[in-house]
Amino acid sequence: SVNDDVHDEL
Amino acid sequence: MNIFRLAGDMTHLASVLVLLLKIHTIKSCAGISLKTQELYALVFATRYLDLFTDYISLYNTLMKLIFLVSSFSIVWYIRHHKIVRRSYDKDQDTFRHYFLVLPCFLLALVINEKFTVKEIMWTFSLYLEAVAILPQLVLLQRTRNIDNLTGQYVFLLGAYRSLYILNWIYRYFTEPHYVHWITWISGLVQTLLYADFFYYYFQSWKNNVKLELPA
């Protein structure tokens, strides 16, 4: 979700 | 950043470059689904809203901008470029956007991690990306006559998805709390859609013959 680790993915 | 993630991003980038190369140098978009390209443009436009709110890294920002600019350029080329647009196979590319966009949006409203605009848009983009290749696969099946660049484009996209799955497995074992069901399931669905194509791609590669899909 927003602002967690998975958000560094494209 | 692990090696699978980097390799995944690079194959994704390569797929876009192959497509732009085909369009730009051969001035042809034969065999390319405009519907799929428009869906990808929508995927990136809704996913990368965080460009305005969060900074992750220079790499992250640059890649996001590349995917945004390239996807909208490809759509522009196919729709408006005076030579390229003539090669667009409109009669074969008949898949309807809203068959995919509407269910994905409704699903994102129901299944998401947080009920906020940005979060729902992000979730919607994941669901839509999972199925956005369908018009392209349908077009390949219909035309059957697939040129090398189009085949490589779809192959690279499939490779990118497969490498992302390896990236998630790696991150799950190396990072605490790395559990993302929505991302994983939509990513898995997306990769499985390529399975059939991959089978015929490898067959043609192994037998050294031109790629042709069964009708």
Side-chain angles (χ1 to χ4, degrees):
Chain A
S1 73
V2 172
N3 286 332
D4 67 18
D5 43 16
V6 82
H7 270 262
D8 66 11
E9 292 180 354
L10 293 162
Chain B
M1 169 110 60
N2 59 67
I3 186 71
F4 304 113
R5 165 70 201 286
L6 184 65
D9 285 352
M10 290 306 118
T11 42
H12 193 188
L13 191 63
S15 73
V16 174
L17 291 179
V18 162
L19 193 52
L20 272 172
L21 186 83
K22 174 183 157 90
I23 291 174
H24 191 79
T25 58
I26 310 175
K27 295 278 184 284
S28 163
C29 63
I32 298 298
S33 165
L34 174 63
K35 305 292 167 89
T36 284
Q37 297 306 318
E38 285 175 336
L39 291 174
Y40 280 140
L42 183 60
V43 163
F44 295 134
T46 48
R47 183 172 310 165
Y48 298 158
L49 289 174
D50 64 348
L51 273 175
F52 298 103
T53 54
D54 302 284
Y55 177 78
I56 295 155
S57 65
L58 181 63
Y59 171 83
N60 194 275
T61 303
L62 280 179
M63 292 294 273
K64 283 175 176 170
L65 289 174
I66 290 173
F67 288 132
L68 274 170
V69 171
S70 57
S71 61
F72 278 92
S73 322
I74 290 166
V75 169
W76 179 86
Y77 258 115
I78 301 176
R79 292 186 83 105
H80 302 296
H81 188 280
K82 66 178 194 297
I83 301 167
V84 175
R85 72 171 186 206
R86 278 187 229 143
S87 58
Y88 173 51
D89 211 349
K90 199 178 175 182
D91 299 331
Q92 297 279 356
D93 191 23
T94 52
F95 211 101
R96 311 234 176 224
H97 300 92
Y98 57 82
F99 273 154
L100 299 177
V101 172
L102 206 63
C104 288
F105 187 69
L106 294 177
L107 193 64
L109 284 178
V110 180
I111 303 175
N112 54 62
E113 288 185 23
K114 208 167 28 165
F115 201 80
T116 62
V117 171
K118 204 166 85 172
E119 185 67 21
I120 287 166
M121 285 308 183
W122 180 77
T123 314
F124 163 72
S125 80
L126 287 180
Y127 296 153
L128 188 62
E129 191 190 358
V131 292
I133 194 66
L134 282 174
Q136 180 64 66
L137 293 178
V138 168
L139 184 63
L140 286 185
Q141 207 94 30
R142 277 188 184 165
T143 50
R144 295 186 68 214
N145 189 15
I146 303 155
D147 66 87
N148 285 338
L149 285 176
T150 309
Q152 274 148 18
Y153 167 68
V154 180
F155 171 77
L156 286 167
L157 272 180
Y160 140 64
R161 293 318 309 181
S162 313
L163 286 161
Y164 254 72
I165 288 180
L166 295 178
N167 157 59
W168 294 329
I169 294 170
Y170 182 86
R171 290 186 79 168
Y172 175 76
F173 286 110
T174 54
E175 292 175 30
H177 318 302
Y178 189 78
V179 178
H180 295 282
W181 287 109
I182 291 178
T183 317
W184 294 347
I185 291 171
S186 44
L188 192 63
V189 168
Q190 186 177 359
T191 315
L192 288 176
L193 291 180
Y194 290 90
D196 194 51
F197 172 84
F198 268 179
Y199 174 77
Y200 292 106
Y201 189 90
F202 282 121
Q203 287 283 318
S204 75
W205 177 71
K206 202 175 73 186
N207 303 325
N208 206 12
V209 292
K210 198 165 151 40
L211 176 61
E212 236 179 60
L213 300 180

